[in-house]
Amino acid sequence: MKNIIFLEPVFKSMIWGGNKLATEYGYDIPSDHTGECWAISAHKNGDCTIKKGEFRGQTLSWLWANHRELFGNAQGEVFPLLIKIIDAKTDLSIQVHPDDAYAREKENGSLGKTECWYILDCDEDGEIVVGHNARDKEELRQMIEEKRWKELIKVRPIKKGDFFQIEPGTVHAIKKGTVILETQQNSDITYRLYDYDRLENGKPRELHLEKSIDVIRCPHEDKNTGGSVTELNACRIEHLITCEFYTVDKLTLQGEQEFTMDQKFLNVSVIAGSGFIDETPIKKGDHFILPYGYGKYVLKGELELITSHI
Ligand code: ZN
């Protein structure tokens, strides 16, 4: 049987970050304003290291470049997905991402960014920004120029377990007190629309108004997600989304359940509990990849997992 690829996350300090990645997930974080854990990433801005086995110490980008057979010989110059845990102690800037076509042309051939959020935790009166209220580009431009942010952005209440798909061109922002697991395309291109006039090192962070206006879809349309649930003996599988770039599922396991791997590779994040995959212990905060041809495997314990594949 092939080895499971366990990964060492990369952490990012952010002005809006907190310390929940240490207190809730047990990570050794670099500061008390750590905003992001890049948990499964081969991006050059945060390339995860392999924790054990024959490839120990190598990066995920190296593994993708040199052992594509472990990923079912999937196509593409870069590992296609990026999995993060985000701890927002304060509000993130209001932002939007380009699609592949726009990013390829304007951002040196980068991928665009489609992302989705599973709400791991939030304040009791938690909120999130998804969408906007402008009818067309003209109204959008006018509202932005006149700084009518309250009127422009769509703020929604959230609770633990909610899920959102953020297509390119969708105005969005994570708000204070929220911890999410994000599954996204392997891209780091963000256009900042509004940053609450905050300062970082004494200066406001750069905004990208023209590019934002270029890519924001008008009018906003909500994306339907979720729906189907599969009940196995010891596992409940909630299908969260399938789009062009990824499929994401939430698994809740109580007991013991056998699965058969039929994807090119499977990203797994343990978001609660502890247990085993085959003989290997796993716990909340672990992230790993099941390689191509891993075959049958048994999950055991009380576990909540988010899985993704292309
Ligand atoms: Zn985003």
Side-chain angles (χ1 to χ4, degrees):
M1 185 182 288
K2 289 183 178 164
N3 285 324
I4 300 171
I5 305 160
F6 280 91
L7 296 163
E8 194 71 66
V10 175
F11 297 94
K12 303 272 177 183
S13 291
M14 299 286 188
I15 51 169
W16 43 260
N19 63 3
K20 284 185 186 164
L21 291 168
T23 58
E24 300 293 318
Y25 292 86
Y27 298 126
D28 187 13
I29 58 173
S31 72
D32 62 2
H33 53 98
T34 302
E36 300 190 350
C37 162
W38 291 26
I40 300 180
S41 166
H43 195 281
K44 62 178 173 11
N45 298 346
D47 202 351
C48 293
T49 306
I50 295 150
K51 263 184 172 175
K52 42 186 162 186
E54 60 177 313
F55 301 116
R56 188 173 168 214
Q58 299 285 4
T59 59
L60 184 55
S61 67
W62 180 90
L63 199 66
W64 178 260
N66 292 287
H67 287 280
R68 195 65 65 86
E69 75 282 0
L70 296 174
F71 306 95
N73 292 316
Q75 299 292 307
E77 211 173 304
V78 293
F79 182 78
L81 300 177
L82 173 45
I83 317 298
K84 292 180 186 174
I85 298 179
I86 296 178
D87 170 20
K89 189 179 177 186
T90 59
D91 295 341
L92 270 74
S93 59
I94 312 281
Q95 51 186 252
V96 61
H97 306 296
D99 61 14
D100 282 348
Y102 191 91
R104 198 179 302 124
E105 193 188 319
K106 307 275 182 171
E107 307 291 346
N108 298 317
S110 170
L111 292 178
K113 190 160 159 186
T114 300
E115 65 188 40
C116 62
W117 298 338
Y118 180 84
I119 309 295
L120 292 168
D121 200 11
C122 62
D123 289 346
E124 213 167 292
D125 53 354
E127 291 180 330
I128 214 146
V129 174
V130 179
H132 65 82
N133 294 310
R135 280 165 300 186
D136 52 38
K137 288 266 179 186
E138 202 180 327
E139 190 176 46
L140 175 75
R141 183 177 284 279
Q142 197 176 359
M143 288 170 103
I144 290 171
E145 279 169 4
E146 293 169 0
K147 299 185 185 304
R148 285 148 62 196
W149 304 112
K150 272 214 160 114
E151 222 180 305
L152 177 64
I153 60 173
K154 270 200 159 107
V155 181
R156 302 139 189 271
I158 49 165
K159 58 181 190 317
K160 215 174 145 168
D162 282 351
F163 181 78
F164 298 91
Q165 167 82 345
I166 310 294
E167 299 277 324
T170 305
V171 173
H172 63 281
I174 301 166
K175 292 180 71 69
K176 68 174 163 59
T178 310
V179 182
I180 72 165
L181 185 129
E182 180 176 80
T183 304
Q184 57 162 90
Q185 282 182 275
N186 183 358
S187 165
D188 202 16
I189 309 279
T190 294
Y191 300 143
R192 211 173 280 132
L193 186 60
Y194 176 55
D195 197 32
Y196 308 96
D197 305 312
R198 290 181 295 194
L199 301 179
E200 185 178 48
N201 304 321
K203 286 179 292 196
R205 296 200 290 176
E206 190 191 354
L207 299 179
H208 317 90
L209 294 182
E210 280 311 314
K211 283 180 172 174
S212 294
I213 293 168
D214 268 357
V215 303
I216 291 170
R217 287 187 196 175
C218 295
H220 169 77
E221 277 170 41
D222 274 344
K223 193 82 193 162
N224 285 328
T225 61
S228 79
V229 172
T230 309
E231 297 279 359
L232 306 174
N233 282 338
C235 189
R236 179 175 199 267
I237 304 173
E238 237 174 294
H239 178 59
L240 298 175
I241 186 92
T242 293
C243 70
E244 191 185 342
F245 304 104
Y246 47 71
T247 286
V248 181
D249 293 296
K250 154 103 193 285
L251 275 65
T252 307
L253 181 96
Q254 270 191 316
E256 191 173 325
Q257 185 74 51
E258 188 182 80
F259 298 86
T260 305
M261 162 102 190
D262 59 2
Q263 300 90 4
K264 285 185 184 284
F265 60 95
L266 185 68
N267 300 321
V268 183
S269 296
V270 184
I271 59 166
S274 63
F276 292 84
I277 177 161
D278 297 324
E279 300 309 313
T280 307
I282 52 174
K283 60 173 196 315
K284 178 177 173 177
D286 285 345
H287 305 269
F288 54 89
I289 300 171
L290 295 183
Y292 183 72
Y294 189 78
K296 282 194 183 352
Y297 60 98
V298 174
L299 289 173
K300 221 181 328 186
E302 293 210 7
L303 287 163
E304 290 181 39
L305 312 171
I306 299 283
T307 66
S308 60
H309 61 86
I310 53 175

